[in-house]
Amino acid sequence: MSSGGVPSAAATSSSQCCGQHGSRGHSARRAPPLAIHEQEVGVADTLQLEPLTEEAFVANLQQRFKRDLIYTSAGDVLVSVNPYKKLALYSLDVVEAYRNRPILSHLPPHIFALADKAHWNLRERNEEQCVVVSGESGSGKTEAARIVLQYVTVAGSGPSGAQQDPALAPIKLIRDRLLQAGPLLEAFGNAKTHKNDNSSRFGKYLDVEFDFKGDPVGGTFTSYLLEKSRVTRQLAGERNFHIFYQLLTGADIQLLKSLKLHRNIDNYAFLRPSRPLSMETIDDKRDFQVTKKALETLGFSAEDVVQIFKVVASVLKLGNIGFTPTSNIDGTEGCTVTNDYELFEVCGLLGTNPMELTSALTQRTILAGPVLDSPSTNPAPPPPPPSCGSLRGVKSGGCSSSAAGTPPSFVPSSSMSSTASRDVYEVCEMLQHSTLARLTLADERGSTSTAGELVVADLSASEATASRDILCRALYSRLFAWLVKQVNDATRVRKYGKRKVLGILDIYGFEVFEQNGFEQFIINFCNEKLQQAVADCTLRQRQEEMLREGIEWTPVDFFNNTPVCELIEKNNHGILAVLDEESQRGGPGGDESFLARLCHTCGSSAYFETRNCAPHSAPSDLPCNTSVPPNCFRLRHYAGTVTYGVTGFVDKNNDTLPLDLSLAMFRCEHPLLKNLFPEGNPKRTTLKRAASAGTQFKISVGALMGNLQSKTPHFVRCIKPNELKQPRIFENALVQHQVRYLCLVQTIKVRKSSFAHSESYESFLHRYKMLSPHTWPSWRGSAVEGASYLLRDLPLSSPHFAFGRTRIFVRGERTVAELEEFRRQRLEDLAALVQKMWRGYRCRQRYILMRQSQIVIASAWRSWRVRVQVYEWQIGKTRLFKGKKNLFCLYRVAREEYRELKRRKQIEWAVQVIQTHYLQWRRRQFLQRLCVSLPSESPMCREWPAAAKRLSDTSLLLRRIHHKWRCHKYRLKFDQTARNRMREKVTASIIFRDRKASYPRSVSHPFLGDYVRLRQNVQWKKICVETNDQYVVFADIINKITRSSGKFVPILFVLSTSSMLILDQRTLQIKYRVPAADIYRLSLSPYLDDVAIFHIKAVSLSIEFIFFFL
């Protein structure tokens, strides 16, 4: 998940490359549109690499790396080599080239191609996808994951459309927030290590949700175990988290003044070890502006940003607080704050009382002694830990002694201040000891009946320093978790509906340092689980599927790291289980006890070593293994052996914060701290013990692996070319080690021998059923038979497919692409048909409406015309008629018009009735005549009775049905031999019809195969047993063209199921024998000649045999 130092394999994937802003590197130069079509160097797709060995694979990577071709395809896996420099591979032109490429186009391997394939499958196949980026620390995982996110967020509507169309403004906002979340989380969660200048110190998994158009509508970030110990301690040559340096370097003077900070890094104890480190790959001042812009884009207000930086500044200021040892009156050790001004500034930032914070840092309130209201209902709490310093105050009716046996100094109850009394009640309530609270209250009132104790213990200087460090780590880690929650609130989906998810996993890289602790153990355990998941998907499950489906398969061996995962996570007997048990026991010497129990529990494992037990040694007689340092254990991981020091394992696994500090933080006026420390609320009614850090991480990783298995995975394997983090340096040994433990060669072998795509018959038929008239629109038979019919109707050769028991297998990616192209074209035709029918329906409805309107208008016009004529007749002809006579004339004219209309309607009705009966009579006459004049039942007969023009469509349909019926009857007469011969003829017709001029004259001749009766030859029977060529497909005397003279030489040509043989026609001596697997092409002339060319694969060249078949 880390990018190596400078921008890595994806280093130039700045925001501008994909039309966005906020990436860590400078923007790369825009590549010319045809740059991606340049001539390839080496082998881009290692499925074609010959010979396929580790050395050849590494040499191919090196050859391409020298020409800045960092992406190589390894079957289903994309290999990315970190270039440690900017490359012009991510411009908008390249994005558009991969986003808009045709399905059958060929472009070089690129992370854009993998991201486009994942996005296309999500959009077109409606399947959830995930992109898994894995590799060592410093191999370029963070940048690779960032490029994938940038590509899939612009793969829908595109950046230009989102900027111009106001309707796409919400999509653009979500896209910007998803992209800006990366720089923000990197600022707070990444740091410089020995392996990597921008190493991710937390795991990140992002689920991007898309709508049906393929546009992002939201996302959810999940973080895994931030390495919070880095806040207070870093190894030599490493840095703290980026945000500290960004804040001190990039903030303006007013902001620094409000945060009470100075630009000089030497002023802060947590940053002094990394002060001399200056890196060309990181610009803290520029990155601070990127972080501030990310906060603004994600919806943080200016006040929220200031409050966040106050917490960060408080962590730095707390690190400067020192403690001076003091001696109490009873002789025990205590401490006081050395630099009060730092404490006052921290209190000013957090809004708390200096006395309360001082008390929380230098004292600890604990429970000691039994609480004896009722022995059966109030069991005694555990005694106070011996590391709690002196006992400053005891609230009890009796007396007790300290852990070391020294009598404490008793403080009368009347001398306790009201503030301390309130603290007593709140702590008691948090600890849920109501009986103790009652006893304390009774003691304050002067009661003498009590048996429980509430002890205020002073801490020594070293214990107070440790308490301060715990508080700093808690503050920073909880701030980071709160930021992740706020980012999720800003990017969550606003609308409900059916959506699909594309996951992007950017997890820790495998780490091996000189000193490896609990953090490295957790990180490497996560990588073990991820390697197990990748190996299961690419190697184990694929091989098991081939065997389960009955496909011939030769197993490919690979390293199975399942025993290592079980050694770590097995319930009750794994390393994490032993660590949890030791953490619950508590007490001194926890780390040493943990190591001893590990030796007893895991000593028999071949993957585990300690100084007192070597691999395969029984716990009863353990030899001394001096290669393992003291207080360490060694694990054999998939990527190598790592030695872990157990110091701090138990404390870091407990990951508990003292309640005094939680209470003090909750009381602060800072608006974030009440959300960061909810357990400090004294009104909480429950206080459950949280699971250990190891258990929480184990559960999280298990859920992550289950999430990945529920999606279709796409893998990016990142390779680190050198340890110096320098460009153009390729260390063969280092790369070969990574290639070996990532099982890349085994992955290629499995993919090369297997199939590119497999799918159940039901889903295959459902997706491609529109490509065959037999299966469209619905298929009522079995899915296997439907898939067989479908493939027969496609112009694809049968060797590209294989039928398993429940699934169909497709050999190559190009065949899958051809199927998708056929489907796309067919869907376009169907869409045009639907559009045509819809438009016809709309036009007809419009015509009917217009016709009805025309009738209404015509009727009204005729009525108006009659009235006008009557009026004119009255005026011009019958001026003498008045009154009733005029009305009678009008009535007579209207009656005549009505009679005429009624007569016309009766005539139209009579015509329709006669026409209907006449057409029915003609149909009956046609069917009766057809019944007695059907043509011959021979499929070769082309005759068919003529039909009227109105019945031409019906006649054509009946003719097709009749032809299918007689073909069916004709096939029923076949025996098995005739059926096989017909199948051969149909296959030959598909291959040669309209493509070979001599094909028509060969139709009537049956295919014999053995034209020289070779199977009966005694000498051949002996030869075929030796060469395993018993099954002869074709044998005949043919002419071979010699290369030297070009003359024809008659030879015996034999083709069996396993090889092609050329023999002497008299002695049957084998001159050439070529395995069938080495014949990769057969070429025929389209003319009347009988020339055939066999293309043969060889080790270093291709050979063609040219024959003339007699």
Side-chain angles (χ1 to χ4, degrees), residues 768-803:
Y768 301 109
K769 63 181 180 179
M770 71 288 298
L771 300 181
S772 171
H774 296 91
T775 56
W776 179 258
S778 61
W779 173 256
R780 303 186 185 280
S782 65
V784 180
E785 187 178 359
S788 178
Y789 274 106
L790 192 154
L791 293 178
R792 291 177 191 174
D793 294 334
L794 295 177
L796 299 174
S797 56
S798 57
H800 291 165
F801 301 91
F803 288 81

Side-chain angles (χ1 to χ4, degrees), residues 1-4 7-13 70-71 78-82 90 111-112 114-115 131-134 139-151 186 504-506 716-719:
M1 177 173 130
S2 342
S3 66
S8 63
T12 57
S13 79
I70 61 173
Y71 295 116
L78 179 69
V79 179
S80 172
V81 184
N82 193 343
Y90 313 99
I111 197 168
F112 285 167
L114 180 136
V131 178
V132 179
V133 186
S134 59
S139 58
K141 298 184 297 301
T142 297
E143 296 293 339
R146 180 185 299 155
I147 288 182
V148 172
L149 177 60
Q150 289 176 340
Y151 184 88
E186 286 181 24
I504 303 175
L505 178 62
D506 180 14
V716 181
R717 293 292 210 176
C718 296
I719 300 292

Side-chain angles (χ1 to χ4, degrees), residues 29-48:
R29 296 177 288 107
R30 288 176 66 88
L34 298 179
I36 56 177
H37 297 286
E38 293 178 357
Q39 184 178 2
E40 287 290 343
V41 177
V43 180
D45 188 356
T46 51
L47 291 177
Q48 303 173 4

Side-chain angles (χ1 to χ4, degrees), residues 418-561:
S418 61
T419 302
S421 179
R422 185 178 68 251
D423 291 347
V424 168
Y425 288 120
E426 292 176 347
V427 172
C428 289
E429 188 173 0
M430 293 169 64
L431 294 175
Q432 293 185 333
H433 283 280
S434 58
T435 303
L436 182 59
R438 293 196 302 269
L439 292 175
T440 305
L441 181 61
D443 183 65
E444 288 182 347
R445 293 175 177 175
S447 173
T448 57
S449 60
T450 181
E453 300 172 349
L454 187 66
V455 180
V456 179
D458 286 340
L459 302 180
S460 64
S462 59
E463 294 167 351
T465 302
S467 179
R468 177 207 65 189
D469 292 346
I470 291 175
L471 177 60
C472 293
R473 292 193 292 266
L475 266 173
Y476 191 84
S477 62
R478 297 188 185 198
L479 174 64
F480 181 81
W482 180 82
L483 283 174
V484 173
K485 178 179 179 298
Q486 296 302 114
V487 168
N488 287 333
D489 290 341
T491 58
R492 73 175 185 269
V493 180
R494 307 296 176 181
K495 296 181 179 179
Y496 295 99
K498 188 175 182 181
R499 295 175 296 271
K500 287 298 178 182
V501 173
L502 189 149
I504 303 175
L505 178 62
D506 180 14
I507 207 71
Y508 323 89
F510 191 87
E511 292 184 345
V512 184
F513 297 126
E514 293 183 1
Q515 298 178 2
N516 303 285
F518 179 77
E519 292 81 7
Q520 281 68 45
F521 173 74
I522 290 296
I523 289 173
N524 293 341
F525 164 59
C526 179
N527 278 270
E528 284 285 355
K529 293 293 293 181
L530 184 60
Q531 172 67 14
Q532 182 187 33
V534 175
D536 282 350
C537 183
T538 59
L539 295 170
R540 184 182 62 83
Q541 292 180 5
R542 176 162 289 189
Q543 297 190 73
E544 291 178 354
E545 181 184 55
M546 300 291 289
L547 296 174
R548 185 172 59 250
E549 293 294 326
I551 306 296
E552 185 178 353
W553 181 254
T554 302
V556 177
D557 296 330
F558 63 95
F559 176 73
N560 186 2
N561 68 332

Side-chain angles (χ1 to χ4, degrees), residues 593-797:
S593 176
F594 164 64
L595 184 61
R597 294 194 61 193
L598 273 187
C599 185
H600 176 76
T601 306
C602 308
S604 59
S605 173
Y607 302 93
F608 178 84
E609 293 180 73
T610 64
R611 191 175 182 85
N612 294 326
C613 57
H616 299 289
S617 61
S620 56
D621 53 342
L622 301 175
C624 184
N625 187 2
T626 57
S627 64
V628 182
N631 294 328
C632 295
F633 67 92
R634 182 178 294 162
L635 284 181
R636 179 188 165 196
H637 290 284
Y638 76 98
T641 302
V642 183
T643 301
Y644 299 99
V646 298
T647 303
F649 258 64
V650 174
D651 291 338
K652 293 177 180 178
N653 186 59
N654 275 327
D655 193 26
T656 55
L657 181 68
L659 293 177
D660 300 82
L661 294 176
S662 298
L663 183 62
M665 291 298 102
F666 185 82
R667 286 177 178 170
C668 293
E669 297 177 359
H670 193 287
L672 295 184
L673 294 188
K674 286 182 172 53
N675 293 326
L676 300 185
F677 296 89
E679 75 276 11
N681 186 357
K683 297 181 180 179
R684 291 186 64 183
T685 57
T686 59
L687 190 64
K688 296 176 63 176
R689 177 185 176 91
S692 64
T695 300
Q696 292 180 20
F697 189 77
K698 173 184 171 182
I699 295 172
S700 300
V701 170
L704 173 64
M705 296 302 114
N707 192 1
L708 295 180
Q709 292 174 2
S710 66
K711 297 177 173 61
T712 302
H714 305 268
F715 301 105
V716 181
R717 293 292 210 176
C718 296
I719 300 292
K720 181 169 62 176
N722 61 78
E723 294 284 4
L724 302 176
K725 298 179 283 189
Q726 296 296 322
R728 309 196 68 82
I729 298 178
F730 192 93
E731 299 178 5
N732 284 328
L734 176 63
V735 174
Q736 187 170 3
H737 173 66
Q738 297 174 75
V739 169
R740 181 178 297 117
Y741 74 67
L742 291 176
C743 301
L744 291 178
V745 175
Q746 290 86 343
T747 302
I748 300 171
K749 288 181 178 178
V750 170
R751 169 62 186 86
K752 190 173 183 179
S753 302
S754 63
F755 296 82
H757 177 73
S758 68
E759 196 170 0
S760 65
Y761 290 114
E762 291 77 9
S763 60
F764 181 83
L765 187 61
H766 180 266
R767 182 164 184 81
Y768 301 109
K769 63 181 180 179
M770 71 288 298
L771 300 181
S772 171
H774 296 91
T775 56
W776 179 258
S778 61
W779 173 256
R780 303 186 185 280
S782 65
V784 180
E785 187 178 359
S788 178
Y789 274 106
L790 192 154
L791 293 178
R792 291 177 191 174
D793 294 334
L794 295 177
L796 299 174
S797 56

Side-chain angles (χ1 to χ4, degrees), residues 95-310:
V95 171
E96 293 300 318
Y98 280 91
R99 187 162 68 97
N100 298 323
R101 62 173 177 165
I103 295 179
L104 295 177
S105 64
H106 176 71
L107 292 176
H110 200 287
I111 197 168
F112 285 167
L114 180 136
D116 185 75
K117 180 180 178 182
H119 185 267
W120 184 89
N121 285 336
L122 178 126
R123 186 182 68 251
E124 297 295 332
R125 287 185 170 267
N126 201 30
E127 298 175 353
E128 294 191 343
Q129 310 288 311
C130 66
V131 178
V132 179
V133 186
S134 59
E136 279 194 11
S137 178
S139 58
K141 298 184 297 301
T142 297
E143 296 293 339
R146 180 185 299 155
I147 288 182
V148 172
L149 177 60
Q150 289 176 340
Y151 184 88
V152 298
T153 53
V154 302
S157 300
S160 59
Q163 293 173 2
Q164 298 175 1
D165 190 354
L168 297 178
I171 295 177
K172 181 180 182 300
L173 178 61
I174 288 295
R175 177 184 301 153
D176 292 341
R177 287 184 172 180
L178 288 174
L179 293 176
Q180 294 297 334
L184 174 63
L185 296 182
E186 286 181 24
F188 283 85
N190 287 26
K192 180 198 181 308
T193 64
H194 291 297
K195 302 283 186 180
N196 188 356
D197 288 351
N198 185 33
S199 177
S200 295
R201 310 317 300 162
F202 71 105
K204 180 178 65 178
Y205 175 74
L206 169 61
D207 268 335
V208 185
E209 298 189 45
F210 295 84
D211 59 12
F212 69 97
K213 297 177 296 184
D215 292 325
V217 294
T220 303
F221 288 86
T222 305
S223 62
Y224 299 94
L225 197 65
L226 178 72
E227 186 192 14
K228 58 185 178 181
S229 62
R230 181 170 295 272
V231 175
T232 57
R233 179 179 176 273
Q234 310 95 42
L235 297 177
E238 296 189 350
R239 293 208 321 173
N240 212 318
F241 291 103
H242 292 321
I243 188 61
F244 295 117
Y245 307 94
Q246 292 179 10
L247 182 61
L248 297 178
T249 307
D252 55 56
I253 192 66
Q254 291 81 6
L255 179 59
L256 287 179
K257 187 175 180 180
S258 66
L259 299 177
K260 300 177 175 55
L261 295 177
H262 305 280
R263 291 201 188 276
N264 190 359
I265 295 178
D266 290 331
N267 293 340
Y268 305 100
F270 288 163
L271 305 182
R272 287 192 194 113
S274 58
R275 178 64 188 92
L277 299 177
S278 60
M279 298 167 291
E280 298 178 357
T281 59
I282 294 180
D283 186 348
D284 292 320
K285 186 174 182 179
R286 182 202 65 204
D287 291 341
F288 180 73
Q289 302 304 321
V290 173
T291 303
K292 284 190 65 178
K293 181 180 179 182
L295 287 167
E296 295 171 1
T297 304
L298 288 164
F300 290 88
S301 64
E303 180 63 23
D304 292 338
V305 174
V306 173
Q307 298 301 334
I308 291 171
F309 289 151
K310 280 186 177 180

Side-chain angles (χ1 to χ4, degrees), residues 894-907:
R895 185 179 60 183
E896 291 297 330
E897 186 69 23
Y898 171 75
R899 289 177 179 175
E900 182 65 22
L901 290 175
K902 185 176 180 181
R903 179 175 173 275
R904 288 180 183 177
K905 287 186 178 181
Q906 289 176 346
I907 293 173

